[in-house]
């Protein structure tokens, strides 16, 4: 195969972007009716594969396009042809020096980025409200995390990002940190002052890795408070292209720019995390969505943000329903919620977020992205239409009317008092979380690969956590692998469980709560060697 090379003079950006090298090649292959003696075993649309089960789900076109690395279709692990061309077009569109297609989701990309940025034993600054994929990257690469605490809008009870000052203090204390890992934006549509933080980190020679799983639309929506991570100066952005832009689920992109990241090490880590049997359907969907965004992305997302805002206004006027539009960010400033999502609460009608999530799914056939004790999060995408917003608004209006009819005015009497008491509890709970101290005995890698045992939580004080433990709300891990279970943390977890909070990482058998800890003898030996 002839190695593909960038053709700088082959038209301008608009002309180059108006093609789909990988998606078009796959479509043409499907039309040519090739005979398959290669994997996968279904052989396209052969009579044998056209069983009721699979044919009921997938069209013949889809089956014919589900191929492997045959002649002319390049190799994701060493791209030289149409995959490389598609990746270059994506890099051009998003403003990266280089883009990598991912078929194992953003989880694999974040893990690869973290492992690439920091070697075994080096330090990485990690915003504590991070995705599990960051911990996987720490386990893979062996770096030691230094966690930067998240701030909260205490009135609303939602995470509000990390302050520039907290990053500054962390860098002053750990100037040798290789990278900062930050989420942009959060599930709730909040974010940090990314431009200021990126400039600050670069002044220390520290790279910035953005988990931009929910942020690919920011490059097209023109929201001034929410710049795309690369435009804000980050060195790596990992995007769930499928979450917001509409490629197939599990397809993502990793973008890199600048010279603070070792590109060769990054390629190795991505290769380690990507499947050796990459799906051409997933890769072609990335190419096709890049094409759609290049040609129509700004129009699609300006309309989506406008419709989301209009829906928020309508929903906010429904009795007993709130739709948050603003929050107080980590710098203490009022800022708008990111415009691709609706953050809705029916607490004033006496309905928890988790209950609202189930009611909308089971009674109105409306499926939402996320729920906690107070809020549900409705995420829009490039395929969201006006009728979808109307259906949500109509359902909430109907639900509000049903509550009124059954219980009377949702703002009156006992129902209001119970709501206020729950809010007071949440604020008290969050404040207590913010003042928990954290001690590290082992790196996440050491803790993960050490023998572990499950013991009652009441006996875990002083032991080292072998897994992450998170209380919902706020959903931020109280413990990461390798952190010490202090007496204060033990009391906090016990009280949270007693108060009915959802706690991930704690099991229950026979009324006793169990937690996974590193075997004591191993932990003591490693601790002595390290310190």
């Amino acid at each position: 195969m002839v190695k593909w090379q960038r053709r700088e003079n082959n038209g301008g950006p608009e002309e180059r972007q108006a093609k789909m090298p990988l998606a078009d090649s796959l479509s043409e292959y499907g039309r040519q009716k090739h005979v398959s003696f290669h994997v996968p075993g279904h052989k396209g649309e052969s009579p044998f594969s056209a069983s009721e089960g699979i044919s009921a789900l997938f069209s013949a076109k889809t089956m014919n396009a589900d191929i492997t690395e045959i002649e002319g279709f390049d190799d994701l692990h060493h791209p030289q042809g149409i995959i490389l061309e598609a990746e270059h077009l994506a890099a051009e569109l998003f403003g990266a020096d280089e883009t990598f297609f991912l078929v194992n989701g953003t989880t694999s990309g974040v893990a690869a980025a973290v492992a690439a940025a920091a070697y075994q034993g080096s330090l990485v600054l990690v915003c504590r409200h991070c995705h599990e994929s960051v911990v996987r990257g720490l386990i893979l690469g062996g770096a030691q995390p230094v966690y930067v605490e998240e701030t909260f809008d205490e009135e609303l009870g939602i995470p509000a990002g990390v302050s520039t000052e907290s990053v500054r203090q962390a860098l002053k204390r750990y100037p040798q940190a290789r990278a900062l890992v930050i989420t942009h934006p959060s599930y709730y549509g909040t974010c940090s002052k990314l431009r200021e933080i990126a400039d600050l980190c670069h002044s220390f020679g520290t790279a910035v890795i953005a988990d931009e799983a929910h942020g690919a639309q920011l490059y097209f929506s023109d929201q001034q408070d929410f710049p795309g991570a690369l435009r804000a100066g980050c060195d790596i952005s990992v995007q769930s292209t499928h979450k917001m832009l509409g490629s197939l689920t599990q397809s993502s992109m990793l973008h890199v720019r600048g010279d603070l990241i070792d590109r060769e090490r990054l390629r190795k880590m991505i290769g380690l995390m990507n499947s050796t049997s990459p799906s051409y359907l997933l890769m072609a969907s990335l190419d096709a969505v890049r094409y759609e965004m290049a040609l129509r992305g700004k129009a699609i997302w300006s309309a989506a943000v406008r419709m989301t805002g209009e829906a928020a206004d309508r929903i906010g006027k429904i009795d007993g329903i709130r739709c948050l539009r603003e929050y107080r960010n980590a710098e203490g400033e009022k800022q708008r919620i990111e415009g691709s999502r609706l953050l809705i609460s029916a607490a004033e009608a006496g309905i928890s977020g988790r209950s609202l999530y189930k009611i909308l799914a089971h009674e109105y056939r409306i499926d939402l992205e996320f729920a906690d004790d107070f809020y549900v999060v409705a995420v829009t995408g490039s395929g969201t239409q006006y009728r979808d917003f109307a259906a949500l608004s109509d359902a909430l209006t109907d639900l509000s009317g049903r509550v009124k009819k059954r219980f009377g005015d949702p703002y009156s009497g006992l129902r209001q008092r119970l709501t206020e008491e729950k809010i007071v509890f949440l604020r008290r709970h969050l404040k207590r979380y913010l003042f928990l101290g954290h001690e590290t005995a082992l790196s996440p890698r050491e803790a993960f690969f050490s023998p572990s045992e499950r013991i009652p939580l009441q006996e875990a004080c002083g032991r080292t956590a072998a897994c992450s433990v998170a209380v919902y709300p706020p959903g931020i891990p109280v413990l990461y692998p390798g952190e010490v279970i202090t007496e204060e943390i033990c009391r906090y977890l016990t009280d949270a469980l007693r108060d009915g909070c959802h706690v991930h990482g704690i099991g229950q058998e026979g009324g006793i709560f169990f937690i996974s800890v590193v075997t004591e003898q191993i932990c003591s030996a490693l601790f002595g060697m390290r310190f």
Side-chain angles (χ1 to χ4, degrees), residues 361-388:
H362 294 300
E363 299 185 27
Y364 297 94
R365 292 187 296 176
I366 295 175
D367 299 312
L368 303 179
E369 173 67 19
F370 171 78
D372 64 17
D373 279 0
F374 274 89
Y375 303 105
V376 294
V377 178
V379 174
T380 63
S382 57
T384 308
Q385 300 181 50
Y386 182 83
R387 66 171 179 264
D388 302 321

Side-chain angles (χ1 to χ4, degrees), residues 160-235:
V162 61
S163 71
T164 307
E165 184 57 30
S166 63
V167 175
R168 187 190 316 278
Q169 293 304 318
L171 287 167
K172 284 183 177 180
R173 188 173 181 185
Y174 303 101
Q176 73 275 36
R178 304 273 304 186
L180 166 73
V181 188
I182 190 167
T183 304
H184 178 77
S186 74
Y187 248 126
Y188 294 88
T190 61
C191 74
S192 309
K193 292 286 187 179
L194 200 55
R195 284 193 178 97
E196 290 86 340
I197 288 173
D199 288 344
L200 176 61
C201 286
H202 290 162
S203 71
F204 282 82
T206 301
V208 182
I209 299 170
D211 176 355
E212 206 170 21
H214 285 265
Q217 77 284 359
L218 300 179
Y219 296 78
F220 311 101
S221 64
D222 195 29
Q223 300 177 77
Q224 297 303 315
D225 290 339
F226 292 87
L230 294 178
R231 293 175 182 174
C234 294
D235 302 273

Side-chain angles (χ1 to χ4, degrees), residues 434-448:
L434 292 174
F435 290 100
L436 287 177
H438 295 93
E439 302 173 18
T440 299
L442 304 172
S443 72
R445 181 184 179 88
E446 290 169 329
F448 182 83

Side-chain angles (χ1 to χ4, degrees), residues 3-10 16-17 80-81 84-85 87-93 96-99:
K3 184 175 180 180
W4 179 88
Q5 294 181 342
R6 186 190 291 269
R7 297 181 288 275
E8 298 291 352
N9 297 320
N10 188 21
R16 286 196 298 273
Q17 290 292 329
Q80 296 179 293
L84 184 63
E85 183 175 3
E87 289 180 331
H88 276 311
L89 289 170
E92 181 180 64
L93 179 64
D97 293 342
E98 198 168 356
T99 291

Side-chain angles (χ1 to χ4, degrees), residues 318-337:
I318 301 171
D319 285 346
I321 308 294
R322 293 182 66 197
C323 192
L324 301 189
R325 304 299 302 277
E326 291 185 329
Y327 71 103
R328 194 170 294 280
N329 66 22
E331 314 299 334
E333 306 163 347
K334 282 287 187 180
Q335 184 171 333
R336 292 180 71 83
I337 299 288

Side-chain angles (χ1 to χ4, degrees), residues 89-139:
L89 289 170
E92 181 180 64
L93 179 64
F94 286 94
D97 293 342
E98 198 168 356
T99 291
F100 299 87
F101 283 1
L102 306 173
V103 294
N104 285 357
T106 295
T107 296
S108 69
V110 171
V114 173
Y119 296 84
Q120 173 117 7
S122 58
L123 294 181
V124 176
L125 303 181
V126 177
C127 296
R128 198 161 185 96
H129 198 176
C130 69
H131 187 261
E132 178 64 26
S133 56
V134 177
V135 180
R136 295 184 188 186
L138 295 169
I139 292 170

